[in-house]
């Protein structure tokens, strides 16, 4: 909904415009959306004569990996894996991406300021550039799932650092 002024007042308007990138016979991928935008994307894919696949969270992603500590990051990683598989299939038929490739890619991934945790002695800083109500909700859920509520002194530090990161 960050693009209302440019693309229209509803999420369906925005989905229609963003689906303008779809090209004939070039497979398209997305993560699941609300029913309205999913229908718009599906209709635009049919209009553009291409396939559209909605990718859910990959159940084979490694657990307890800091880069995937937010559910939205697990979904984004799942989409990236499917995109990489498609590119590899087209550019290097016969080659595959295995679980070791995925683990290496995730281990080497970082996005500064996006669901980032920094340890500094007794302090733990949670950084996120949440820029709209939806991303702020995701950041708050990520924070609440990752705080150390068992350590009151550290919890106060965490609350202060979280509040500072989203102002």
């Amino acid at each position: 909904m960050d693009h209302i002024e440019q693309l229209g007042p509803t999420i369906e308007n925005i989905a229609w415009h963003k689906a303008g990138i779809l090209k004939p016979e070039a497979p398209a991928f997305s993560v699941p959306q609300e029913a309205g935008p999913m229908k718009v994307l599906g209709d635009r894919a049919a209009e553009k004569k291409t396939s559209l696949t909605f990718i859910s969270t990959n159940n084979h992603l490694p657990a307890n990996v800091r880069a995937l500590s937010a559910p939205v990051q697990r979904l984004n990683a799942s989409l990236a894996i499917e995109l990489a598989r498609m590119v590899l299939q087209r550019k290097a038929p016969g080659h595959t991406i295995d679980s070791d490739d995925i683990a290496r890619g995730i281990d080497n991934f970082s996005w500064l300021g996006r669901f980032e945790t920094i340890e500094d002695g007794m302090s733990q800083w949670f950084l996120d550039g949440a820029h709209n109500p939806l991303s702020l909700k995701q950041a708050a859920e990520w924070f609440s799932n990752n705080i150390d509520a068992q350590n009151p002194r550290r919890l106060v530090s965490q609350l202060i650092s979280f509040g500072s990161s989203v102002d």
Side-chain angles (χ1 to χ4, degrees):
M1 296 303 295
D2 295 337
H3 308 287
I4 288 173
E5 288 184 31
Q6 296 83 9
L7 305 180
T10 70
I11 196 148
E12 289 80 9
N13 295 126
I14 294 166
W16 187 90
H17 283 286
K18 288 195 168 210
I21 197 170
L22 300 176
K23 304 292 181 244
E25 299 180 23
F29 299 87
S30 179
V31 296
Q33 310 287 323
E34 294 175 12
M38 279 181 74
K39 179 171 181 355
V40 170
L41 293 173
D43 291 348
R44 289 282 274 169
E47 174 189 316
K48 301 269 188 172
K49 297 180 178 21
T50 190
S51 64
L52 173 63
T53 304
F54 289 96
I55 304 299
S56 297
T57 301
N58 183 320
N59 293 327
H60 300 290
L61 289 172
N64 302 320
V65 176
R66 190 165 282 196
L68 301 177
S69 63
V72 69
Q73 292 298 76
R74 296 186 73 76
L75 191 55
N76 288 341
S78 301
L79 179 60
I81 291 165
E82 290 309 310
L83 292 169
R85 283 188 173 136
M86 179 56 65
V87 169
L88 191 59
Q89 178 184 344
R90 288 184 165 225
K91 299 288 184 181
H95 290 81
T96 60
I97 296 173
D98 63 26
S99 57
D100 289 338
D101 297 324
I102 293 168
R104 261 192 318 279
I106 290 169
D107 285 344
N108 290 307
F109 173 81
S110 71
W111 189 354
L112 298 177
R114 186 69 173 140
F115 300 111
E116 182 180 9
T117 306
I118 299 172
E119 303 279 339
D120 182 21
M122 281 296 294
S123 297
Q124 186 177 29
W125 298 86
F126 291 84
L127 306 174
D128 189 72
H131 62 283
N132 62 38
L134 178 59
S135 60
L136 182 58
K137 181 178 184 267
Q138 292 171 344
E141 288 173 5
W142 163 73
F143 173 73
S144 69
N145 289 332
N146 287 280
I147 61 171
D148 181 3
Q150 303 304 312
N151 183 339
R153 185 170 177 207
R154 189 166 190 178
L155 180 58
V156 169
S157 173
Q158 290 169 332
L159 290 170
I160 291 169
S161 64
F162 181 75
S164 299
S165 69
V166 295
D167 287 342

